[in-house]
Amino acid sequence: MFSKKSDTDFLQLLIEAAENTLEGAQLFRKAMVSGKSPVEFMKPLKELEDRGDAITHKIYKGLNQVFITPLDREDIMELAAKIDDVMDGIEATIARFDYLHITFTDKYMEEFSAVLAESCQHMLDSFKLLSQKKYMQITEHTVQINRLENEGDRLMREGIRDIFTQPKDPYLDFKLKELYERLEETTDACEDVADILESMVLRYS
C-alpha cells in the first residue's frame, strides 16, 4: 500500500550508488595498472557490483511504497538504473579477463580505466549537487562526462585499428576487440547518466 511519505532518502541512496560505482572504477583502475593479474580483482569488484544491486533494489522498493518523492519518480528510477549499468559494465569487463583468459593489460585498457574513474567522480559530484538542488552547477560535470565518453570512443577506434593494422594471433585479436567494445559501452553508460542529469537541469532549474 502506498503512503505519502517514506523514511527512504532517495537522494542519499543515489549518492551511495555513485560512491560505490566510483569505488569500483578506482579498483578497476588499480587492476589495469598494478602489474598484477586482473583476475585477482574479480572478487572485490563482484562484491561492489552486488552492493550496487542492493542499493538499486532499495531505491525501487522505496519508490513502490510512496507517492511523494523529492524528484520525479521516473528520474529517480532512470538514474538508479543507469548508475547500476556503469557498475555492471565495470564488473562485466573484469570478468572478461577471466573467461577470455586475458592475462595482461595494455595502454588502451589503462587509459579506459582512467576515463571511467574520472567519469564516475563527475557522476558522484553531480549527485551531491543534485541533493543540494544546485542544478546549474551539475552542467559543469555533465560536460566533462560527455568529453570523457568521446575519449572512450577514440580509445576503442584506435585500439581496434591497431588490431587490424598490426594483427597478432587472430584469437587474441578477437578477445581484445570484445574487451575494448565492452569498455566503450561502459563509458556510454556514464554518458547516459549525464544525459538524464542534463534533462533534469533544464526542467528543475
Side-chain angles (χ1 to χ4, degrees):
M1 184 175 179
F2 285 99
S3 62
K4 289 186 177 181
K5 295 183 179 180
S6 170
D7 292 333
T8 304
D9 187 338
F10 294 107
L11 293 172
Q12 181 58 37
L13 286 173
L14 287 172
I15 290 173
E16 288 177 17
E19 288 173 340
N20 186 68
T21 302
L22 175 59
E23 186 176 347
Q26 291 171 336
L27 186 57
F28 181 76
R29 171 73 174 154
K30 184 177 179 181
M32 295 300 99
V33 301
S34 68
K36 299 179 180 179
S37 170
V39 176
E40 292 184 26
F41 296 83
M42 275 185 63
K43 186 175 184 293
L45 278 167
K46 177 59 179 170
E47 290 171 352
L48 289 172
E49 194 257 343
D50 289 342
R51 185 195 301 169
D53 286 344
I55 296 171
T56 304
H57 176 73
K58 190 171 183 180
I59 291 171
Y60 288 168
K61 183 178 179 181
L63 289 171
N64 284 330
Q65 295 174 340
V66 295
F67 281 124
I68 300 173
T69 56
L71 303 168
D72 286 351
R73 187 179 304 272
E74 292 76 13
D75 289 334
I76 296 172
M77 289 179 64
E78 286 190 345
L79 285 173
K82 293 303 182 181
I83 194 73
D84 193 53
D85 286 347
V86 178
M87 188 64 240
D88 287 349
I90 293 169
E91 193 276 331
T93 300
I94 205 72
R96 278 165 169 72
F97 282 91
D98 180 40
Y99 69 73
L100 293 175
H101 194 59
I102 300 173
T103 58
F104 63 91
T105 61
D106 62 23
K107 66 178 182 179
Y108 297 110
M109 301 171 198
E110 292 173 8
E111 289 183 37
F112 259 120
S113 71
V115 166
L116 285 169
E118 188 176 349
S119 296
C120 290
Q121 181 64 65
H122 283 297
M123 286 191 292
L124 174 57
D125 292 342
S126 295
F127 285 163
K128 288 179 178 178
L129 290 168
L130 186 65
S131 71
Q132 300 165 21
K133 298 184 178 181
K134 295 180 179 179
Y135 301 119
M136 294 306 297
Q137 294 180 36
I138 292 172
T139 304
E140 300 171 17
H141 298 284
T142 58
V143 167
Q144 292 304 314
I145 295 170
N146 287 321
R147 175 186 64 80
L148 289 161
E149 192 277 333
N150 290 333
E151 181 70 5
D153 287 345
R154 180 190 67 79
L155 289 169
M156 183 189 70
R157 288 195 300 268
E158 290 186 3
I160 292 175
R161 184 186 299 118
D162 278 358
I163 288 172
F164 288 103
T165 58
Q166 304 174 45
K168 303 176 183 67
D169 172 72
Y171 189 52
L172 175 60
D173 290 344
F174 163 79
K175 292 191 288 186
L176 291 176
K177 180 175 180 292
E178 179 170 336
L179 192 63
Y180 297 154
E181 289 174 340
R182 190 65 187 89
L183 283 163
E184 194 276 333
E185 288 173 13
T186 308
T187 63
D188 282 348
C190 296
E191 187 179 45
D192 289 341
V193 175
D195 289 344
I196 298 167
L197 288 166
E198 286 176 346
S199 173
M200 293 171 67
V201 168
L202 290 173
R203 285 182 283 117
Y204 293 144
S205 60

